[in-house]
Amino acid sequence: MAALIDTNILVYRFDFRFAEKQKIATEILRQGILEESVRLPHQAIVEFIAAVTRPIRGHIILKQADALREAEELLKQFMVLYPNETIVRNAIRGCAAYQLNWFDAHMWSYAEYYGLSEILTEDLQHDRLYGTVRVLNPFIAKGSAG
């Protein structure tokens, strides 16, 4: 079963300031390509470009040209899932039912709609089940909760 990849996995792939997270993100994406085991929501690609080109404390992860080139590579390497009216309506319900912020609810709604059993992210509670979708934080050491 394929897992949905959140934006933070894509960002950490290029952020050398967090070497361990960069290593984990790189391995997740590499394995996902080999096994065709991950999906990217359109939202994550849009957020990726914004996140890696925005200065944070004077640091920019990627120049805009590099970010755009990497986004094109993501489109080529992964199955990208696109939103529709049902996804947006379910995201609205996810905000209300699970008290998620809009972007997290929208991410969850992609997974629900496309029948994906897992979201890989550090933004939601690890090992929590939202509807039929389980959240896994790949940056938590195995056997650790939190």
Side-chain angles (χ1 to χ4, degrees):
M1 176 62 66
L4 193 69
I5 298 295
D6 196 3
T7 309
N8 51 60
I9 308 289
L10 303 178
V11 171
Y12 282 129
R13 163 66 183 87
F14 296 95
D15 196 344
F16 66 86
R17 296 173 301 166
F18 303 96
E20 186 60 29
K21 288 182 177 186
Q22 185 178 39
K23 179 182 170 187
I24 291 167
T26 299
E27 183 54 34
I28 289 167
L29 295 172
R30 185 174 291 134
Q31 185 176 348
I33 290 169
L34 291 173
E35 299 175 358
E36 297 182 9
S37 60
V38 298
R39 304 291 182 264
L40 299 183
H42 165 264
Q43 170 184 326
I45 295 171
V46 172
E47 290 177 358
F48 165 79
I49 294 168
V52 298
T53 58
R54 178 180 55 237
I56 300 171
R57 293 186 209 116
H59 175 75
I60 296 175
I61 297 170
L62 291 174
K63 294 177 183 172
Q64 183 176 3
D66 295 329
L68 296 173
R69 186 177 65 250
E70 293 299 339
E72 284 187 306
E73 288 296 318
L74 293 170
L75 289 167
K76 185 169 66 174
Q77 295 171 323
F78 296 96
M79 180 180 287
V80 177
L81 308 178
Y82 292 90
N84 59 36
E85 182 179 340
T86 301
I87 289 171
V88 175
R89 287 185 183 281
N90 284 341
I92 292 167
R93 291 182 188 105
C95 282
Y98 301 119
Q99 299 299 298
L100 298 172
N101 73 46
W102 171 251
F103 295 103
D104 291 341
H106 200 239
M107 188 69 58
W108 162 78
S109 185
Y110 273 99
E112 276 285 338
Y113 180 83
Y114 286 104
L116 304 174
S117 61
E118 296 175 346
I119 298 174
L120 301 181
T121 184
E122 71 173 0
D123 289 346
L124 294 166
Q125 183 182 342
H126 176 67
D127 205 32
R128 166 98 190 259
L129 193 63
Y130 296 91
T132 63
V133 180
R134 183 163 309 280
V135 171
L136 297 175
N137 181 342
F139 305 115
I140 292 178
K142 298 226 187 288
S144 172

